[in-house]
Amino acid sequence: DCVLSNWLQWTPCSATCGGGEQHSTRRVAVPSRGRGMPCSGALHKVKSCNEDPCPGDNPTDCTWGPWSAWSACTEQCGGGQHRKHRTIVLEPSNGGHPCTGGAAIAVSSCNEHECPHEVVQCVWSDWTPWTECKRLGRVV
């Protein structure tokens, strides 16, 4: 059966602050032969290190962009909805606060006044008779 070596010591962190990586590796010590079990498992692993902000790198909080204009109301009277949206213009960094979840879209009621009685409801008329179908001048 295949035998993997022990993991080597972690490498030094790639950064002294602000977030870096450390790596460790191992190798196939004895390859499988014949009907032996093949090796399973990773030969390389990575972990984060020194994640504290660097001196002088102040935390930056998430920043929302401006709101869009309100959309048109879904109803002319009797109550509808309209919406507005915004996007994140600056992601947080160095331990800054994330943007508030669910704050990208706002919905509000609109045109809640009662509809006048003169408002005409759409009503379908009866179907008209079928017309002849012609192809190359002939009725089909």
Side-chain angles (χ1 to χ4, degrees):
D1 291 348
C2 174
V3 177
L4 295 174
S5 69
N6 292 327
W7 288 101
L8 296 178
Q9 284 188 328
W10 288 102
T11 61
C13 189
S14 62
T16 57
C17 59
E21 294 181 340
Q22 288 179 283
H23 300 260
S24 182
T25 58
R26 63 182 174 175
R27 61 181 179 77
V28 175
V30 178
S32 64
R33 296 187 183 210
R35 293 181 168 222
M37 293 295 295
C39 289
S40 64
L43 298 178
H44 183 253
K45 59 184 178 179
V46 180
K47 70 177 182 177
S48 299
C49 56
N50 294 339
E51 295 176 341
D52 292 332
C54 295
D57 287 349
N58 294 326
T60 302
D61 294 338
C62 174
T63 304
W64 286 106
W67 285 104
S68 68
W70 285 103
S71 66
C73 190
T74 57
E75 301 294 334
Q76 292 182 2
C77 59
Q81 291 182 336
H82 58 176
R83 304 169 194 273
K84 63 181 179 176
H85 67 275
R86 62 183 177 172
T87 58
I88 294 173
V89 294
L90 183 63
E91 294 286 349
S93 61
N94 300 322
H97 294 95
C99 285
T100 307
I105 298 174
V107 179
S108 181
S109 57
C110 55
N111 292 341
E112 294 178 319
H113 59 280
E114 194 173 311
C115 293
H117 295 292
E118 303 89 49
V119 173
V120 177
Q121 299 288 329
C122 290
V123 178
W124 289 103
S125 64
D126 292 334
W127 286 99
T128 59
W130 288 99
T131 58
E132 289 183 336
C133 182
K134 295 182 179 182
R135 180 183 283 164
L136 301 174
R138 300 162 98 192
V139 175
V140 285

